[in-house]
């Protein structure tokens, strides 16, 4: 595996590499470059040089390039699946059926969106002068992606940036760079050199990239800690920042639904990707009248789920540190909380963990307040609608939530009251390219997907004639 800079594949300037561990085995399966300042300098210089031309291309040119990229991803689907599953350990069939079609759709959406940027009509706001607005690209973008959905998050970042006329340097997570490196090679047939550059490396590589003087905008999907550090570093040079950070999604289940059917529907979502999803349903708030029935049904559904096999329902945690984090969190459970099902690492190679349900928790417990990012959910009860909403909003994250009820008015009240960027009603986790994906509070600011995501990679210029 190599970096991709100025249209060519190349190793790190120092020749240093990092081991990549297959989470399904715990063994080294390949190596990637450990990029340093010379590599980020070269990538940013290539992006800055390419911006001079790419920023002046017509939307039609950018659309054709993105449509070509979408077709190329489909054509190389098996190679992308191998790259993705090798780094993440997730079952290949789930990547092919649940993720790849959405990835391709996102690229095609932004291809169309490139030709539909909104603009304000010209007008006279002072005597004798006409004002108009130009919507222009920002410049060179530094984009940093996480390890839970490597290819999907890369596409969510690069597609709107390129569609808007920007150039970019992408730094994938240190444990999952393979599909991003492949993406750069595949897109080389459709983009001029320097429009998309990929530098692999560790946190130091990311710090070098964020601090680079050629970078105008920094976009990151990652943890709250990483977001704080990046926002602080970017502030030194007053760079624009786009943050999609953690989540701790509440699920409000009212007593007018079928408890067992709702439990079955939610179990299928809660453990997808081993719960390593910032919108994963994590905090289950259940009306006290159906709490016990729901808990029993949900725990039974969770116990049926399989991991640790090629045809499993979910794969391993991404790395040893994340597995340890989940185990340590469970080990610190207070005495009033208990594990209903699961709770242990699988006795086999790799970073597999049982689907786990924790009940008896209280609102101020660590496991309720902090993002778990693993195959673990908590269950609490509530007395009425007011308490449910209060519990849902009583955390620092604000990315997503879902409400389960047959009462339309209650559902609409919840969608207004919940302080999150996304609210689902009687479903959870569904995303579409046309709608924004972003949060509030410690979940960050800025939107992925949709026209809102495209506009985040533009700036407005006032012209007066």
């Amino acid at each position: 595996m190599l970096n991709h800079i100025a249209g060519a594949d190349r190793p790190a300037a120092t020749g240093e590499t990092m081991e990549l561990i297959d989470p399904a085995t715990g063994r080294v399966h390949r190596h990637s470059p450990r990029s340093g300042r010379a590599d980020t300098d070269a990538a940013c210089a290539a992006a800055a040089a390419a911006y001079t031309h790419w920023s002046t291309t017509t939307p039609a040119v950018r659309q054709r390039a993105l449509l070509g990229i979408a077709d190329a991803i489909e054509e190389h689907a098996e190679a992308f699946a191998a790259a993705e599953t090798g780094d993440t350990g997730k079952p290949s069939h789930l990547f092919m059926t649940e993720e790849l079609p959405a990835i391709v759709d996102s690229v095609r959406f932004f291809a169309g969106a490139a030709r539909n940027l909104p603009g304000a009509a010209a007008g006279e706001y002072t005597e004798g002068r006409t004002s108009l607005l130009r919507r222009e690209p920002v410049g060179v973008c530094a984009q940093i992606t996480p390890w839970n959905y490597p290819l999907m998050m890369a596409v969510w970042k690069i597609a709107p940036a390129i569609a808007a006329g920007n150039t970019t340097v992408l730094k994938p997570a240190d444990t999952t760079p393979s599909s991003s490196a492949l993406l750069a090679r595949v897109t080389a047939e459709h983009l001029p050199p320097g429009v998309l550059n990929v530098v692999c490396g560790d946190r130091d590589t990311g710090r070098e990239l964020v601090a680079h003087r050629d970078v105008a905008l920094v976009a990151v999907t990652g943890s709250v800690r990483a977001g704080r550090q990046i926002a602080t570093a970017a502030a030194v040079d007053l760079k624009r920042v786009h943050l999609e950070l953690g989540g701790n999604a509440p699920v409000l289940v009212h007593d007018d639904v079928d408890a067992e059917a709702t439990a079955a529907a939610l179990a299928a979502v809660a453990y997808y990707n081993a719960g390593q999803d910032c919108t994963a349903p994590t905090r289950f708030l259940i009306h006290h009248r159906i709490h016990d029935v729901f808990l029993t049904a949900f725990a039974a559904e969770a116990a049926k789920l399989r991991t640790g096999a090629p045809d499993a329902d979910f794969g391993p945690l991404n790395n040893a540190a994340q597995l340890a984090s989940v185990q340590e969190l469970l080990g610190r459970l207070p005495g009033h909380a208990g594990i209903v099902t699961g709770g242990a690492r699988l006795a086999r190679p790799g970073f597999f963990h049982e689907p786990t349900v924790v009940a008896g928790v209280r609102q101020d417990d660590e496991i309720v307040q902090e993002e778990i990012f693993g195959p673990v959910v908590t269950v609490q009860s509530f007395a009425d609608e007011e308490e449910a909403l209060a519990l849902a909003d009583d955390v620092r994250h604000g990315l997503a939530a879902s409400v389960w009820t047959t009462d339309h008015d209650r559902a609409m009240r919840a969608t207004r009251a919940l302080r999150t960027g996304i609210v689902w009603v009687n479903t959870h986790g569904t995303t579409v390219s046309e709608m924004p994906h972003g949060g509030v509070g410690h979940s960050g600011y800025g939107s992925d997907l949709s026209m809102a995501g495209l506009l985040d990679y533009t700036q407005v210029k006032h012209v007066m004639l």
Side-chain angles (χ1 to χ4, degrees):
M1 184 195 314
L2 300 170
N3 292 329
H4 188 84
I5 299 173
D9 293 336
R10 61 174 79 173
T14 63
E16 289 187 77
T17 62
M18 303 182 300
E19 293 181 342
L20 296 183
I21 307 298
D22 181 348
T25 65
R27 298 174 182 170
V28 176
H29 78 105
R30 66 188 311 184
H31 293 78
S32 70
R34 187 191 299 273
S35 302
R37 179 172 295 181
D39 305 295
T40 56
D41 282 348
C44 289
Y51 179 77
T52 302
H53 166 68
W54 186 250
S55 61
T56 65
T57 56
T58 64
V61 169
R62 301 195 291 271
Q63 180 191 47
R64 284 195 294 273
L66 286 166
L67 290 175
I69 290 169
D71 291 345
I73 293 173
E74 282 188 325
E75 291 166 8
H76 294 83
E78 295 293 340
F80 277 112
E84 191 91 346
T85 57
D87 284 357
T88 66
K90 66 179 63 177
S92 180
H93 71 280
L94 293 177
F95 172 78
M96 292 291 284
T97 59
E98 301 298 323
E99 297 177 30
L100 191 67
I103 288 166
V104 173
D105 182 73
S106 294
V107 180
R108 289 181 175 143
F109 168 79
F110 283 114
R115 300 184 75 163
N116 288 279
L117 271 171
E124 289 70 41
Y125 301 95
T126 189
E127 188 174 348
R129 296 292 179 184
T130 297
S131 288
L132 57 89
L133 295 178
R134 289 180 53 84
R135 188 169 288 279
E136 299 178 338
V138 176
V140 175
C141 300
Q143 301 181 306
I144 299 174
T145 50
W147 42 252
N148 57 337
Y149 296 105
L151 183 61
M152 183 179 292
M153 295 300 99
V155 163
W156 282 18
K157 292 288 186 282
I158 69 166
I162 291 170
N166 302 283
T167 56
T168 186
V169 180
L170 176 70
K171 208 291 281 184
D174 55 351
T175 61
T176 56
S178 299
S179 58
S180 294
L182 176 59
L183 179 65
R185 293 197 299 275
V186 166
T187 60
E189 294 183 31
H190 306 279
L191 295 172
V195 173
L196 170 61
N197 307 273
V198 173
V199 290
C200 305
D202 54 18
R203 291 178 181 175
D204 289 337
T205 311
R207 292 186 185 101
E208 293 283 356
L209 181 58
V210 170
H212 201 281
R213 63 179 297 174
D214 288 341
V215 170
L217 182 150
V218 180
V220 59
T221 297
S223 67
V224 174
R225 175 193 52 78
R228 283 198 193 101
Q229 292 176 352
I230 288 169
T232 300
V236 173
D237 205 23
L238 297 179
K239 294 177 170 69
R240 284 176 57 175
V241 180
H242 179 288
L243 302 176
E244 200 278 274
L245 307 178
N248 194 357
V251 180
L252 288 66
V253 181
H254 290 275
D255 63 349
D256 56 352
V257 301
D258 183 321
E260 293 180 342
T262 302
L266 282 164
V269 181
Y271 299 102
Y272 183 82
N273 205 34
Q276 299 168 120
D277 187 318
C278 50
T279 64
T282 303
R283 297 183 295 127
F284 286 73
L285 307 174
I286 314 300
H287 193 280
H288 70 95
R289 291 195 187 97
I290 63 168
H291 172 273
D292 292 350
V293 173
F294 180 93
L295 178 59
T296 299
F298 187 89
E301 293 291 337
K304 294 177 188 176
L305 297 174
R306 298 173 60 249
T307 187
D311 61 346
D313 299 296
F314 65 91
L317 292 161
N318 179 256
N319 53 75
Q322 188 59 28
L323 175 61
S325 174
V326 171
Q327 291 183 303
E328 290 166 5
L329 186 61
L330 291 172
R332 293 193 298 270
L333 282 176
H336 55 260
I339 295 173
V340 180
T341 189
R345 175 182 184 172
L346 265 62
R348 54 149 292 170
F351 310 132
F352 295 93
H353 195 282
E354 294 175 326
T356 300
V357 179
V358 179
V361 295
R362 298 172 184 167
Q363 188 65 18
D364 59 354
D365 288 343
E366 177 189 21
I367 199 168
V368 171
Q369 289 295 317
E370 300 299 327
E371 182 178 35
I372 302 169
F373 223 62
V376 179
V377 305
T378 62
V379 181
Q380 299 167 259
S381 67
F382 65 84
D384 54 32
E385 182 179 332
E386 182 179 1
E387 184 184 17
L389 294 170
L391 292 172
D393 282 339
D394 186 28
V395 294
R396 293 173 295 176
H397 299 89
L399 182 57
S402 65
V403 183
W404 298 72
T405 180
T406 60
D407 185 327
H408 176 78
D409 291 339
R410 174 187 287 149
M412 294 308 296
R413 287 193 298 271
T415 62
R416 289 192 299 271
L418 288 165
R419 295 194 297 272
T420 59
I422 306 164
V423 180
W424 290 287
V425 177
N426 297 329
T427 188
H428 194 112
T430 304
T431 61
V432 292
S433 298
E434 293 83 357
M435 291 292 111
H437 185 282
V440 299
H442 280 205
S443 293
Y445 44 82
S447 294
D448 288 319
L449 300 177
S450 79
M451 288 301 295
L454 181 62
L455 293 178
D456 276 355
Y457 288 95
T458 68
Q459 57 194 356
V460 174
K461 179 187 289 182
H462 170 217
V463 178
M464 182 175 282
L465 307 172

